[in-house]
Amino acid sequence: MTGANPAVPQSQPLLTFRFVVLCLCGVAYFMALGLVYPVLPGFVENDLGGGPVAVGLAVGGFGLSAAVARPLVAPLGDSKGRRFVVLWGCVLAGLGILGNLWAVNVAVAVMFRLVTGLGEAFYFVGIAAAAQDMAPEHRRGEATSYFSVTVYSGLAVGPIIGERLAAAVNADAVWILGGAMMALATALSAISMPGRPADAPTGWPTSFIHWPATRPALLLGLGLLGYSGFLAFIKLHVDDIGFEHSGAVFATFAVMVISLRILLARLPDRLGPQRTSTMSYVCSATGLWIIAFWSQIPGVFVGTAILAMGQTFLFPALFVMAVQSAPANKRSQAIGTFSIAFDLAVGLGGLILGGVVEVSSYSMAFFAGGSLSLLGLVVSRTLVRPQLRVAY
């Protein structure tokens, strides 16, 4: 099969020491990112005097710079090795978070957010490719589920700590802690990441885009646009309805995703990408619409839980499609192309739904986000072929 990994025997266990340390690196990295989410919108709006579009740009600028840089840096993960790009990613993302200490206006905050996005462009292609390198062929979806648990573990704990630390001390303490967590992620990546492989390609590729990965990338982007609006505006929405603990909302989302991805880690492998993506789009749209129209605290938590169900399996199913489209020595490039969709969704989703907030309300922004998920469902029916259930 294209994308086979002959270096990993089928009998090799998945949860090796290096894989576990890799996941711990992911927890530290994404916890640092998560610290920022509940603090940055209020920092931009209240401390720097920005409006909804400025908030959307500050939160989403991270994704825009990552999307631009991703196809340029992704080949380095194949030619220089996974460790090279992951280490640089941690360093740049740490600098981007610490840079908020010197943000005196929206433009400076956006600039450092762009630096964080540049770090993400390096980091993700390296660590995601390394996770696939360590996985047996028939357990790649399961490996992706476990790896992605690290993302949401960080996003579960990070926002709670960030919100409480900002309230108890100030936003500067959040930026400093974020930089320290990135330093920890750097150390863990040095332990777990493989170096330059013997069969690494030399020189630059003829194309920076791995075209077979663009189909699952498009589907991922459509499925994440509404979620990016959730990240950008749920804090301000719950503030409007009189709830002061937005970290609990982020934690609800993350705990749901973590629990489902651990308990049902093999579901994407069993159902195939079409059934999995259909389930994801429907749940995402439903959750966002509940948040939009049930503008009370119970509605926020119910909608968040259903949105989490939708987001749980979309990435693992489509990610495996992208990985299988490339041989091992071009895996970072395929992952780089695929993950551009994540970056664009985070960047454009915040801007698009920020525009909706500007002319209407937070509720209408969540409604628009749910409608974009429904569009993803329609497109997926033509781009994803049914896949037979595989029994393991």
Side-chain angles (χ1 to χ4, degrees), residues 294-347:
W294 190 358
S295 295
Q296 296 175 355
I297 295 172
V300 169
F301 281 96
V302 171
T304 296
I306 297 175
L307 172 63
M309 293 172 61
Q311 294 295 308
T312 295
F313 301 115
L314 184 67
F315 178 85
L318 297 176
F319 183 77
V320 172
M321 285 180 62
V323 168
Q324 290 177 339
S325 72
N329 64 357
K330 290 188 177 180
R331 188 167 288 154
S332 286
Q333 188 178 4
I335 292 171
T337 297
F338 174 73
S339 56
I340 289 172
F342 181 88
D343 305 324
L344 288 176
V346 170

Side-chain angles (χ1 to χ4, degrees), residues 24-25 27-33 35 86-95 97-98 123 175-191:
L24 292 175
C25 174
V27 171
Y29 176 89
F30 289 106
M31 185 185 296
L33 294 186
L35 291 167
V86 171
L87 287 173
W88 271 108
C90 291
V91 169
L92 289 169
L95 290 175
I97 293 174
L98 286 172
Y123 178 84
W175 317 140
I176 293 170
L177 179 59
M181 293 304 300
M182 283 297 179
L184 175 61
T186 303
L188 292 172
S189 68
I191 297 172

Side-chain angles (χ1 to χ4, degrees), residues 1 3-10 12 133 135 137 140 199 327-329 331:
M1 178 185 290
N5 189 4
V8 180
Q10 298 303 293
Q12 178 176 317
D133 293 343
E137 175 75 18
R140 283 184 177 164
D199 62 344
N329 64 357
R331 188 167 288 154

Side-chain angles (χ1 to χ4, degrees), residues 13-376:
L14 173 60
L15 299 179
T16 61
F17 171 78
R18 292 185 70 185
F19 187 84
V20 171
V21 176
L22 177 149
C23 289
L24 292 175
C25 174
V27 171
Y29 176 89
F30 289 106
M31 185 185 296
L33 294 186
L35 291 167
V36 174
Y37 277 118
V39 181
L40 186 62
F43 176 70
V44 171
E45 184 175 65
N46 301 322
D47 293 25
L48 304 182
V53 173
V55 171
L57 182 59
V59 174
F62 164 90
L64 294 177
S65 64
V68 172
R70 189 88 70 184
L72 300 177
V73 305
L76 295 175
D78 295 317
S79 61
K80 298 291 187 181
R82 317 307 191 205
R83 184 184 298 127
F84 176 87
V85 290
V86 171
L87 287 173
W88 271 108
C90 291
V91 169
L92 289 169
L95 290 175
I97 293 174
L98 286 172
N100 287 310
L101 291 168
W102 298 278
V104 295
N105 54 47
V106 172
V108 175
V110 170
M111 180 189 71
F112 282 114
R113 191 65 171 160
L114 295 176
V115 173
T116 307
L118 179 61
E120 170 67 9
F122 277 87
Y123 178 84
F124 189 81
V125 296
I127 197 166
Q132 293 295 300
D133 293 343
M134 298 177 191
E137 175 75 18
H138 68 295
R139 299 182 70 179
R140 283 184 177 164
E142 184 182 1
T144 304
S145 290
Y146 289 141
F147 165 67
S148 62
V149 164
T150 70
V151 178
Y152 290 101
S153 296
L155 293 178
V157 178
I160 297 174
I161 296 175
E163 184 176 53
R164 292 184 178 180
L165 186 60
V169 187
N170 54 35
D172 286 352
V174 175
W175 317 140
I176 293 170
L177 179 59
M181 293 304 300
M182 283 297 179
L184 175 61
T186 303
L188 292 172
S189 68
I191 297 172
S192 60
M193 291 297 107
R196 186 175 185 273
D199 62 344
T202 58
W204 289 101
T206 55
S207 173
F208 288 101
I209 299 297
H210 184 72
W211 293 105
T214 57
R215 183 174 65 174
L218 172 62
L219 298 176
L220 179 70
L222 290 172
L224 291 176
L225 284 170
Y227 171 56
S228 69
F230 172 86
L231 289 177
F233 296 110
I234 193 64
K235 159 69 175 175
L236 302 177
H237 176 64
V238 298
D239 284 350
D240 271 4
I241 62 177
F243 187 64
E244 299 179 352
H245 305 289
S246 65
V249 179
F250 286 100
T252 298
F253 180 93
V255 168
M256 283 288 297
V257 173
I258 292 167
S259 300
L260 291 173
R261 284 189 176 169
I262 291 175
L263 295 174
L264 302 174
R266 295 193 177 187
L267 190 66
D269 290 326
R270 294 175 179 272
L271 293 183
Q274 187 177 76
R275 292 176 182 175
T276 305
S277 60
T278 296
M279 176 180 65
S280 297
Y281 290 127
V282 170
C283 289
S284 294
T286 302
L288 287 166
W289 286 342
I290 289 174
I291 295 172
F293 294 114
W294 190 358
S295 295
Q296 296 175 355
I297 295 172
V300 169
F301 281 96
V302 171
T304 296
I306 297 175
L307 172 63
M309 293 172 61
Q311 294 295 308
T312 295
F313 301 115
L314 184 67
F315 178 85
L318 297 176
F319 183 77
V320 172
M321 285 180 62
V323 168
Q324 290 177 339
S325 72
N329 64 357
K330 290 188 177 180
R331 188 167 288 154
S332 286
Q333 188 178 4
I335 292 171
T337 297
F338 174 73
S339 56
I340 289 172
F342 181 88
D343 305 324
L344 288 176
V346 170
L348 295 178
L351 286 176
I352 292 169
L353 299 184
V356 175
V357 173
E358 192 76 56
V359 301
S360 183
S361 64
Y362 296 123
S363 292
M364 286 306 299
F366 294 126
F367 172 74
S371 301
L372 290 170
S373 294
L374 194 61
L375 174 62

